[in-house]
Amino acid sequence: MRRISPVLQQDGVEPELIALLKTILAACREISFRVSQGELAGVLGSTLGENIQGETQKKLDVIANELLKEVILETGVVKAISSEEEDHIVAGNPQGKYLVTFDPLDGSSNTDINSLIGTIFSILPADPAKAPDDASLFLQPGTAQVAAGYVLYGPSTMLALTTGHGTRLYTLDNTYGGFLLTGDQAAIPKYTTEFALNMSNQRFWQEPMQRYVADLLLGKTGPRGKNFNMRWIAAMVGDVHRVLCRGGIFAYPRDTKDSTKPDKLRLMYEANPMSFLVEQAGGISSTGYERIMEIIPTDIHQRVAVILGSKHEVETCIGYHKA
Ligand code: AFP
């Protein structure tokens, strides 16, 4: 089985970017170990604080955030980082070529029930003309990403990674201490009968999503002419991983449940990196009205509606938004 570096070298990825990715993955290996120790390491449960999103921080959120921040800034090739758990961007080396955004622990409500969680990251080029404490550095569309990935802390620890040469899956080999290639070129099937949505929000969705899901639920006797099955992990990393492995549609649509927060998922820390991975595996990713990776962000903590996965199914859902 192949290690990461030769695979990335073969794709022509710059040595500095390879080194940065390996540093991020070293931090993820450490997070994986802490996660696997669970209660034994005293890392479960919440802190007393809240993050910028107004969400309670889990102890593991804070540990993962600190670990990533420290090792990424030490590389010297990163101009600034932006984390879901930090109110503001954190400046790095003014000469750094890259910007890193990350969600240190996605699905953190799953930590206390020993269920799936993960780290999501994205790497963008840094504008040499801007200062490292200038947040506008990050206001680039997802199409500018040079790499994106997630590490899923599940029964085995897995990495999905893209540098724009397809999406590959790796598995952490604890005996060797690194990630080994276990799934070359993920290919999301075009058609699916599986959907992932938080159905408890159904009554708060906008009309196009209501119609789309109502038709799905009618199954074989409805306009779709086939039965669908539902899955919901409550951690985007887990749901997107399933989509990469066997297809499906994952959506967190806009809703009216909380008027201050019509969209739930974060553009920079969740939607853009996942969209890059999904598109590189042959799927598509949209808000229902536009391609997610073409959105020009106006704020680092911006949220967005997400519909992604199997090409035909996402296109069908988009069709309901156009009607
Ligand atoms: P946290 O990382 O704050 O736990 O949120 C996870 C998440 O943003 C995303 O990973 C899930 O798909 C979604 O929230 C789950 O939301 P529900 O609470 O509606 O199930």
Side-chain angles (χ1 to χ4, degrees):
M1 265 179 261
R2 299 172 73 200
R3 291 179 298 114
I4 288 182
S5 299
V7 177
L8 295 176
Q9 278 158 7
Q10 184 196 303
D11 286 340
V13 177
E14 286 184 22
E16 277 177 327
L17 181 54
I18 297 179
L20 173 57
L21 285 166
K22 287 177 72 177
T23 302
I24 293 172
L25 296 176
C28 291
R29 280 204 316 263
E30 173 74 23
I31 298 168
S32 173
F33 174 71
R34 306 269 186 116
V35 166
S36 71
Q37 291 292 94
E39 199 67 274
L40 297 174
V43 294
L44 303 186
S46 302
T47 65
L48 295 174
E50 275 188 353
N51 65 11
I52 181 78
Q53 330 273 343
E55 297 154 345
T56 309
Q57 283 180 309
K58 297 284 181 185
K59 287 184 196 161
L60 270 172
D61 279 327
V62 176
I63 293 169
N65 187 55
E66 291 303 318
L67 266 168
L68 284 160
K69 189 166 70 172
E70 196 176 312
V71 299
I72 292 170
L73 291 176
E74 268 174 15
T75 61
V77 296
V78 172
K79 188 164 199 161
I81 60 164
S82 179
S83 161
E84 189 192 308
E85 300 299 335
E86 300 277 341
D87 297 4
H88 306 287
I89 70 163
V90 182
N93 179 1
Q95 268 73 54
K97 282 170 71 171
Y98 302 108
L99 304 172
V100 183
T101 76
F102 54 88
D103 178 352
L105 214 64
D106 178 62
S108 51
S109 66
N110 280 350
T111 51
D112 297 344
I113 57 166
N114 199 24
S115 193
L116 290 183
I117 47 178
T119 297
I120 309 172
F121 57 88
S122 158
I123 303 177
L124 290 159
D127 182 344
K130 290 188 179 171
D133 59 354
D134 182 346
S136 76
L137 276 167
F138 287 90
L139 305 184
Q140 308 180 41
T143 49
Q145 293 172 102
V146 293
Y150 63 75
V151 174
L152 177 71
Y153 310 113
S156 50
T157 294
M158 289 194 72
L159 161 73
L161 180 66
T162 184
T163 53
H165 301 89
T167 292
R168 295 193 176 92
L169 298 174
Y170 300 80
T171 305
L172 179 62
D173 179 349
N174 279 316
T175 54
Y176 139 76
F179 288 90
L180 297 177
L181 185 66
T182 45
D184 210 3
Q185 304 300 6
I188 300 175
K190 195 172 168 193
Y191 297 90
T192 185
T193 52
E194 200 159 61
F195 69 93
L197 279 156
N198 184 342
M199 285 299 294
S200 68
N201 293 331
Q202 185 174 21
R203 67 189 183 285
F204 301 110
W205 295 333
Q206 295 181 318
E207 190 271 339
M209 205 63 195
Q210 298 267 6
R211 271 189 300 117
Y212 166 70
V213 175
D215 285 352
L216 284 189
L217 296 179
L218 286 173
K220 225 175 180 149
T221 54
R224 300 300 309 277
K226 56 181 183 179
N227 292 328
F228 284 80
N229 194 19
M230 196 196 95
R231 289 284 180 270
W232 186 249
I233 291 174
M236 189 186 192
V237 273
D239 282 310
V240 170
H241 187 69
R242 188 186 55 255
V243 167
L244 282 179
C245 292
R246 67 177 190 214
I249 180 169
F250 164 88
Y252 213 110
R254 172 161 287 204
D255 64 51
T256 56
K257 200 160 87 175
D258 175 352
S259 59
T260 63
K261 223 193 287 175
D263 299 316
K264 164 126 188 179
L265 301 180
R266 298 75 168 177
L267 178 61
M268 312 220 114
Y269 316 117
E270 293 167 322
N272 268 339
M274 292 310 203
S275 299
F276 194 15
L277 289 164
V278 163
E279 287 195 9
Q280 286 291 316
I284 54 177
S285 179
S286 166
T287 62
Y289 299 99
E290 61 186 323
R291 184 181 170 211
I292 286 182
M293 291 224 290
E294 285 175 8
I295 296 173
I296 312 281
T298 52
D299 185 272
I300 55 167
H301 294 300
Q302 179 170 342
R303 295 170 186 263
V304 69
V306 174
I307 304 165
L308 59 76
S310 293
K311 190 167 183 290
H312 177 263
E313 199 52 42
V314 177
E315 279 169 354
T316 304
C317 183
I318 293 171
Y320 281 74
H321 290 75
K322 286 194 178 136

